[in-house]
Amino acid sequence: MGSRKLVRDIFLSKQTKKVVESRFSSILANRVFVIRRFCAQNELPNKVEQGTKAVTENLSERVNGASKESEASVKKGRLLTGATIGLLIAGGAYASIVDEGTFCGWLFSATKVVNPFFAFLDAERAHRLAIKAAALGLVPKEKRLDPSILGLEVWGRKFSNPIGLAAGFDKNAEAIEGLLGLGFGFLEVGSVTPMPQGGNPKPRIFRLPQEGAIINRCGFNSEGITSVAKRLGAQHGKRKLYESANPPPASDDEDEQPVKVPGVLGINLAKNKTTEDAAGDFVQGVYTLSPYADYLVLYARDQMQWGEEGPPPLLVKIAPDLSKQDLEDIAAVALTLRLDGLIISNTTILRPDPVSSYPVAEELGGLSGKPLFSPSTNILKEMYILTRGKIPLIGCGGVSSGEDAYKKIRAGASLVQIYTAFAYGGPALIPQMKAELAKCLERDGFKSVREAVGADCR
Ligand SMILES: Cc1cc2nc3c(=O)[nH]c(=O)nc-3n(C[C@H](O)[C@H](O)[C@H](O)COP(=O)(O)O)c2cc1C
């Protein structure tokens, strides 16, 4: 596929806009048309996110049915809940004698004690437990303000820090407030599919702790857009974070703490495995979930009619296993369609050394975590250069420290996402990463995150 053909297709779609508009309702038709054209005529949709998807196709032959979760796992779960409650009680006693900031720091550190217990559980059960705990508010809440050097504005949304939780952790938007409350600058829920689907048989998440890595072949398990929209609507209302775009004015009362800017919420949309109309799936996702999102992740962008607050920014997430030509094509399309951002990257289907030497490397699935850091940062840098810094990029893949986040920013990322490092490190990692990142910026003389974006590409 050449980028010239892509660009021609896009221009053609603009010429035929009027015909389409007369047949469908106004500008939605335009969006539908562009998405359909993008999905039908280009290979891009197959390339983006291929890291996870490619390996989840045709899995049934190699995976023999769902395995039953063991009773031992249930017992370990109870033990863990007990330990958490114990810590909370001890925390409550401590809270009565120290100030809020100190207590908050203590609570985050205390999670380091609980965290190793999760390693005893099957990976998916541990993950469910973490989501439940966050949904019930059984996780620490960040009360301390982020260092001002970490604040930035992207797409007109204010981020109090650039570190977000990547898609796949809260697939069904069950624990938004709890997770954002941990101090992430933003959270991406999903991937959400139009119809509910179970994903691949379990086990489908495999840990490789020696390398700080995970292999997963979840296969886009999702409760579906209706259920996620209901949950978002009931709990959080139409988000479109008014506050994130317009933080409340600072109070005149000096004794009063400044109001913390709430985190930004992204929604990652996917298609159903058995769909024959990929574009239609994305359009359904856009329609149903846009009112609740600060940004959406999917494959195409054009004009569409929205309320006063405007459409949520649209981003594309790409795989790290792309050729130079693929990257050039995607950059050309991203610039032509005026995409609002690219997320670089998803998991890799490769097994770089030393991962390949472990038996678990044989498992089908996308590899995430530390071994993904270099390849994903390399393509991030390439994409920043190809798009000439004109499109905000989210750097994702193998970030496990503030220094790593800083490297992603220097390579061209305006924002950074983590998943695997959070799964291993737990809540304590977040304040630690933010403090480290602030230090790195100050050390090198940057006054803001914005100043450091793309510093290694200049
Ligand atoms: C268990 C698991 C499930 C994931 N599910 C999704 C998903 O549903 N949609 C998506 O776009 N990315 C998904 N990802 C990919 C992450 O969002 C992220 O791109 C990738 O893990 C690389 O970041 P990391 O090295 O910090 O983990 C998943 C990753 C893992 C480990």
Side-chain angles (χ1 to χ4, degrees):
M1 174 199 57
S3 34
R4 255 190 249 150
K5 180 177 175 295
L6 283 174
V7 173
R8 202 186 56 222
D9 286 343
I10 291 153
F11 285 133
L12 180 64
S13 77
K14 283 187 178 158
Q15 279 166 14
T16 51
K17 194 165 78 177
K18 282 193 184 128
V19 181
V20 180
E21 280 178 359
S22 66
R23 289 176 56 201
F24 300 96
S25 66
S26 71
I27 300 173
L28 170 67
N30 192 333
R31 169 58 66 77
V32 172
F33 187 78
V34 171
I35 292 177
R36 281 193 191 289
R37 202 160 185 99
F38 195 89
C39 292
Q41 301 206 1
N42 306 323
E43 290 157 28
L44 287 187
N46 297 329
K47 289 176 178 173
V48 295
E49 296 201 354
Q50 81 182 12
T52 319
K53 271 184 203 160
V55 288
T56 54
E57 307 276 317
N58 306 320
L59 258 180
S60 46
E61 287 168 22
R62 299 212 25 198
V63 183
N64 299 323
S67 68
K68 286 191 178 172
E69 286 152 346
S70 68
E71 265 184 43
S73 255
V74 177
K75 278 184 192 154
K76 283 175 196 161
R78 285 193 199 123
L79 206 72
L80 196 56
T81 314
T84 310
I85 292 168
L87 267 173
L88 283 172
I89 293 168
Y94 184 64
S96 58
I97 52 165
V98 293
D99 69 85
E100 193 177 65
T102 315
F103 177 61
C104 185
W106 178 85
L107 262 189
F108 272 89
S109 301
T111 62
K112 286 187 194 162
V113 181
V114 178
N115 220 37
F117 286 93
F118 281 84
F120 291 114
L121 301 176
D122 153 78
E124 190 144 356
R125 178 169 281 278
H127 176 247
R128 279 303 312 155
L129 204 64
I131 289 287
K132 275 266 149 58
L136 292 170
L138 295 173
V139 289
K141 191 164 170 57
E142 185 54 86
K143 307 260 186 186
R144 300 159 292 184
L145 286 177
D146 288 333
S148 59
I149 197 170
L150 296 185
L152 78 163
E153 192 171 319
V154 187
W155 314 300
R157 269 85 173 154
K158 291 210 163 26
F159 292 73
S160 64
N161 74 77
I163 297 167
L165 182 57
F169 197 88
D170 191 3
K171 284 176 183 278
N172 298 304
E174 293 171 85
I176 292 174
E177 299 308 317
L179 290 171
L180 280 175
L182 289 172
F184 284 111
F186 64 112
L187 163 68
E188 189 173 311
V189 299
S191 298
V192 192
T193 55
M195 303 299 293
Q197 66 176 30
N200 288 318
K202 297 174 189 171
R204 53 194 178 183
I205 304 178
F206 307 90
R207 295 189 186 103
L208 184 47
Q210 301 91 322
E211 301 299 327
I214 288 176
I215 292 172
N216 96 84
R217 51 165 182 260
C218 290
F220 295 94
N221 49 313
S222 169
E223 288 181 11
I225 51 175
T226 310
S227 148
V228 168
K230 263 190 206 151
R231 190 169 289 136
L232 286 168
Q235 291 177 23
H236 314 286
K238 290 199 173 181
R239 195 151 165 110
K240 290 274 185 205
L241 272 188
Y242 174 79
E243 303 98 297
S244 69
N246 308 285
S251 164
D252 290 341
D253 182 350
E254 285 183 9
D255 290 339
E256 212 174 288
Q257 285 286 317
V259 183
K260 195 165 182 276
V261 176
V264 170
L265 182 75
I267 303 182
N268 183 310
L269 304 172
K271 65 181 181 66
N272 279 114
K273 189 177 176 184
T274 53
T275 191
E276 289 183 359
D277 179 11
D281 274 21
F282 292 123
V283 172
Q284 272 191 58
V286 169
Y287 255 133
T288 313
L289 293 173
S290 282
Y292 311 105
D294 284 310
Y295 73 86
L296 289 173
V297 184
L298 79 163
Y299 302 147
R301 163 135 181 85
D302 207 333
Q303 285 148 12
M304 190 168 171
Q305 207 139 44
W306 300 90
E308 273 174 22
E309 62 296 318
L314 291 171
L315 287 77
V316 168
K317 184 168 181 177
I318 66 172
D321 314 310
L322 299 173
S323 68
K324 180 114 178 80
Q325 183 63 53
D326 292 336
L327 293 179
E328 283 171 11
D329 290 343
I330 290 169
V333 170
L335 288 168
T336 311
L337 287 178
R338 279 169 289 134
L339 281 181
D340 293 294
L342 290 165
I343 303 182
I344 305 169
S345 71
N346 211 317
T347 54
T348 174
I349 52 173
L350 302 179
R351 299 290 183 265
D353 284 337
V355 172
S356 54
S357 60
Y358 294 89
V360 74
E362 298 285 312
E363 294 291 350
L364 285 177
L367 174 74
S368 60
K370 284 183 182 170
L372 181 59
F373 183 78
S374 290
S376 61
T377 308
N378 290 342
I379 65 157
L380 169 68
K381 208 184 270 182
E382 252 181 89
M383 199 47 105
Y384 182 79
I385 293 166
L386 285 168
T387 53
R388 305 186 290 283
K390 287 186 173 172
I391 299 176
L393 306 178
I394 300 184
C396 181
V399 173
S400 62
S401 66
E403 182 83 41
D404 287 347
Y406 179 57
K407 285 182 186 157
K408 291 273 186 199
I409 290 166
R410 290 189 64 112
S414 296
L415 300 164
V416 176
Q417 286 180 325
I418 61 168
Y419 185 131
T420 304
F422 176 63
Y424 283 120
L429 182 68
I430 306 157
Q432 193 181 313
M433 274 182 72
K434 290 193 286 191
E436 275 173 24
L437 174 59
K439 252 193 208 152
C440 290
L441 290 164
E442 280 158 10
R443 180 193 65 202
D444 293 350
F446 292 112
K447 293 198 174 56
S448 65
V449 171
R450 172 74 49 221
E451 271 187 17
V453 174
D456 286 344
C457 309
R458 293 198 268 269

